[in-house]
Amino acid sequence: MNDYEVREVEVEPGVRLRLRHRAAAGPGPGQVPFLLVHGLSSNARLWDEVAGALAAAGHPSWAVDLRGHGESDAPESGYDTGTAAADLAAVITALGLRRPVVAGQSWGGNVVVRLAAKHPELPGALGLVDGGWIDLHAAFPDWESCERALRPQDIDGRPAATMRQWLDSAHPDWSDTARAATLANMRVRPDGTMERRLTIPHHLEILRSMWDGPPGPDLPLVAVPALLLPALGPDDERAQPVRRAAAALPDAAVRWYPGGDHDLHAQHPAMVAADLLTLARDRRKEAT
């Protein structure tokens, strides 16, 4: 039995985004909806196990494939943080979601911060999963250095079996569901080789938008509670940007994940879901 229902939303003429909808396990008052947003070159399926835990706790969720990712349309333009945030606003409006908890991982965290800054009336809270504070401009001396360091490998034509073997060895603590979802970042051709769903040029357009538009100016404009889930501990040398982001947000808390993978939602879905559920409980308190 498939626990997920596929939904589509047209975010602009001719551009439709695919969503995986997971209904709550049972009806009842106080259900807080969740909108789950993946990172760069990822896809909605990475949220499946988190969504299952949210549903078991009584909350529906919608995990979105952003444009050019997963099963969504891949138009020629719109590969930037601002457009992705506008697409999320269109999704929330089209689905009639009332003040959802919007969780974003990695670049998806930056996107949901932009959403909250530009559309303060839409989200009810933010979950920032190892993202939302990513500032490439501060991490590299110039765009050329950034592009060289972060340009993705050209893996088109490689055997899918090779990627499966690598995932098994690199992430032995991930579930089969999480590894299969990661493999779905690529499309498997009939001959058993892979190709990227998000093309390298579009990947670089998103990176450039992250370089040009870091989240710093957006953070003070976020008018809802935010929970930061960094994949590191408080004593890590990389913790300072997390602390700066938390200080810039009007209402923020941090839940550290020492030694965590960047894809925390794949590595620790039950823990991530439990943390995100604290935001839903806060939303219910506000409503009563």
Side-chain angles (χ1 to χ4, degrees):
M1 179 180 176
N2 188 353
D3 293 326
Y4 295 87
E5 177 188 0
V6 174
R7 300 278 186 95
E8 287 189 346
V9 171
E10 188 172 48
V11 294
E12 64 181 48
V15 179
R16 300 184 70 84
L17 302 190
R18 185 78 63 92
L19 297 103
R20 293 166 71 81
H21 171 52
R22 180 72 180 256
Q31 291 184 346
V32 176
F34 283 78
L35 178 61
L36 308 173
V37 185
H38 62 74
L40 177 56
S41 285
S42 187
N43 73 92
R45 287 178 55 183
L46 265 293
W47 287 105
D48 277 0
E49 291 177 288
V50 172
L54 298 177
H59 300 281
S61 66
W62 287 260
V64 62
D65 281 330
L66 297 173
R67 63 173 67 197
H69 295 75
E71 300 295 332
S72 288
D73 289 345
E76 288 302 312
S77 62
Y79 297 93
D80 59 87
T81 300
T83 300
D87 286 349
L88 293 185
V91 166
I92 292 171
T93 301
L95 295 176
L97 303 183
R98 184 176 179 276
R99 307 285 284 179
V101 174
V102 187
Q105 186 265 341
S106 188
W107 171 58
N110 287 28
V111 173
V112 305
V113 166
R114 179 68 55 84
L115 167 73
K118 298 296 185 183
H119 301 276
E121 75 285 0
L122 293 180
L126 300 185
L128 305 179
V129 182
D130 211 37
W133 55 84
I134 300 173
D135 186 344
L136 298 182
H137 208 281
F140 295 94
D142 50 54
W143 163 244
E144 290 73 23
S145 300
C146 178
E147 181 181 14
R148 283 195 301 271
L150 300 183
R151 181 184 180 89
Q153 291 184 342
D154 186 359
I155 60 172
D156 288 4
R158 294 185 185 180
T162 300
M163 176 59 79
R164 291 191 187 96
Q165 292 170 0
W166 179 83
L167 285 170
D168 290 344
S169 61
H171 301 292
D173 57 338
W174 290 17
S175 68
D176 290 342
T177 297
R179 289 195 291 267
T182 302
L183 189 66
N185 293 337
M186 285 72 68
R187 184 178 291 105
V188 180
R189 297 165 171 166
D191 65 358
T193 63
M194 300 179 303
E195 64 181 4
R196 289 187 174 277
R197 292 182 185 269
L198 183 71
T199 66
I200 290 178
H202 288 159
H203 186 114
L204 293 176
E205 286 181 49
I206 292 171
L207 281 178
R208 182 65 201 228
S209 82
M210 295 175 71
W211 168 268
D212 290 334
D218 293 326
L219 293 170
L221 304 178
V222 175
V224 296
L227 177 62
L228 288 67
L229 308 179
L232 46 82
D235 298 325
D236 193 291
E237 62 182 10
R238 299 166 296 161
Q240 193 55 36
V242 181
R243 289 195 175 92
R244 284 197 297 266
L249 288 159
D251 183 359
V254 181
R255 162 76 155 90
W256 304 94
Y257 279 72
D261 289 348
H262 185 46
D263 290 307
L264 281 177
H265 54 332
Q267 183 188 24
H268 298 299
M271 293 170 61
V272 169
D275 285 330
L276 294 178
L277 284 168
T278 64
L279 294 169
R281 287 194 289 271
D282 291 342
R283 284 278 295 109
R284 282 202 301 262
K285 290 177 183 177
E286 291 175 9
T288 56

